[in-house]
Amino acid sequence: MSTFYLPEQVGKGMYQSMTLGSYATWSFCDMTPCRDIIVDEQDETRGLVLAFNLSGQQQWRNRDTGRRHVFLENSFGVFDAGPFAASNVFEKGQRVVQMGLHIHPGRYDPLLEAIRKTGAISKFNDLSPHAGMDMPTLARHVIQEMLECKYMDEIREYYLEGKLTELLAIVAGELTGRDQTALQTVKLSETDRAGLATVKRILDENYAESPTIPDLVRPAMMNEHKLKRAFKQQFGISIHAYIIQKRMEKAYELLHSGKVNVTEAAQRVGYVNSSYFISRFRQMYGYNPGILKK
């Protein structure tokens, strides 16, 4: 595995990459620049690219078409690899956490074909301004396990390759089961996007208080009906489901740290009833939260 650390004069963070057999290349970056930076990227390798944006948002300009694109937080994209050239923009002070997988032709072709049949694969030169789809909850959980891998050398490679197979199966299954109209980008005005970004920020900061739709109408600058439709179209998830997801993710972090018990974690993320919290947690992760304390 190769690791590159961001120079201090540019910011803090690092970029890692690792070849998984002859079938895939895994990459991960976690960085916070201390100034606006532009990173040029170019590739001509065949295959398929899966990109997962875990935190922050990525902006880039396609140097072939001249168009600008935004990759939102908690979204992912599946792209046909091949010739492309892009200038990636990273804003001062904004943390960006991303994981990427470049899948080469061969071993995973059946899973890639299943994904391709959903119509979810995009070409870099044909992307809409707002690229990406909402990230499946199960996929985010597998990614978390990949990033927390403690193994080294060959064992690490085998572990990540196994998780890669699991992740591809989840993506294929989730996309196959979705209403395909939900994968289509809905055009929104700049005012609408600004309002939705404000709403998302409010939910990220106040998920434990669970803001209601009427609470969000004014900052969203749209009525309740439009807000509910626009939020789901923009982020691929309803407002209610997004609040639950944020609560569960924070609860997972708290329990994984070992500093709180299940009751304390439930209260911190907004649940008075611990039994209901346990039910929600199990529904999202597939096991009881108490396991993380053992």
Side-chain angles (χ1 to χ4, degrees):
M1 181 169 65
S2 61
T3 302
F4 168 79
Y5 291 97
L6 212 61
E8 289 185 6
Q9 65 269 28
V10 177
K12 60 180 181 179
M14 53 85 176
Y15 171 86
Q16 294 179 315
S17 66
M18 183 177 189
T19 300
L20 304 178
S22 60
Y23 306 107
T25 302
W26 170 87
S27 63
F28 171 74
C29 80
D30 182 350
M31 62 183 189
T32 307
C34 61
R35 57 183 173 85
D36 292 347
I37 60 174
I38 297 177
V39 179
D40 288 334
E41 182 181 9
Q42 188 166 339
D43 196 2
E44 296 186 0
T45 310
R46 292 178 58 237
L48 210 65
V49 172
L50 278 77
F52 300 87
N53 202 34
L54 307 172
S55 180
Q57 68 175 26
Q58 181 185 2
Q59 304 176 56
W60 76 91
R61 181 180 65 84
N62 185 316
R63 298 207 303 274
D64 292 325
T65 65
R67 292 196 294 266
R68 296 183 180 276
H69 306 275
V70 176
F71 201 22
L72 299 172
E73 182 176 324
N74 200 39
S75 61
F76 81 106
V78 188
F79 310 106
D80 261 323
F84 79 92
S87 295
N88 300 289
V89 180
F90 298 92
E91 296 182 346
K92 175 182 177 181
Q94 183 179 93
R95 184 188 181 197
V96 176
V97 183
Q98 299 174 340
M99 191 187 82
L101 292 162
H102 191 151
I103 314 298
H104 309 301
R107 178 172 180 176
Y108 297 106
D109 284 354
L111 283 173
L112 300 185
E113 182 60 26
I115 295 173
R116 190 175 297 280
K117 287 180 180 180
T118 69
I121 298 176
S122 303
K123 293 184 179 295
F124 280 107
N125 288 348
D126 296 331
L127 291 175
S128 62
H130 281 70
M133 302 165 282
D134 63 298
M135 194 184 309
T137 299
L138 287 176
R140 191 176 182 96
H141 181 54
V142 173
I143 290 170
Q144 186 87 18
E145 293 178 331
M146 295 175 79
L147 299 181
E148 292 176 353
C149 175
K150 305 299 183 184
Y151 307 124
M152 303 297 292
D153 302 325
E154 290 185 354
I155 297 178
R156 180 184 182 89
E157 181 180 333
Y158 282 121
Y159 178 86
L160 291 179
E161 191 171 345
K163 287 296 176 183
L164 166 59
T165 303
E166 183 179 356
L167 184 58
L168 287 175
I170 288 171
V171 169
E174 288 286 326
L175 292 178
T176 301
R178 287 186 185 181
D179 177 1
Q180 295 306 304
T181 59
L183 299 175
Q184 301 173 2
T185 301
V186 176
K187 293 182 179 180
L188 297 168
S189 70
E190 290 303 318
T191 300
D192 290 336
R193 293 193 186 99
L196 291 171
T198 299
V199 168
K200 186 173 180 293
R201 184 167 60 252
I202 291 172
L203 297 178
D204 288 341
E205 296 173 354
N206 302 279
Y207 56 85
E209 286 76 33
S210 189
T212 65
I213 300 295
D215 293 333
L216 300 170
V217 166
R218 187 170 182 177
M221 298 178 288
M222 58 185 76
N223 61 43
E224 291 187 23
H225 179 68
K226 182 176 180 180
L227 171 58
K228 289 189 287 187
R229 291 186 64 248
F231 189 94
K232 188 166 185 178
Q233 290 168 347
Q234 183 75 350
F235 302 114
I237 188 172
S238 70
I239 291 175
H240 178 65
Y242 184 75
I243 291 172
I244 294 174
Q245 177 176 291
K246 294 299 292 186
R247 286 178 163 187
M248 293 301 106
E249 289 174 355
K250 182 60 178 178
Y252 183 96
E253 292 177 12
L254 290 169
L255 291 165
H256 192 263
S257 72
K259 297 178 180 179
V260 300
N261 59 34
V262 172
T263 300
E264 291 170 332
Q267 292 173 347
R268 288 198 189 185
V269 299
Y271 288 95
V272 177
N273 188 322
S274 296
S275 297
Y276 184 65
F277 164 74
I278 292 171
S279 175
R280 281 289 190 184
F281 191 96
R282 185 169 57 245
Q283 184 178 16
M284 179 166 176
Y285 290 110
Y287 51 80
N288 289 331
I291 291 178
L292 294 174
K293 289 288 294 177
K294 295 179 180 179

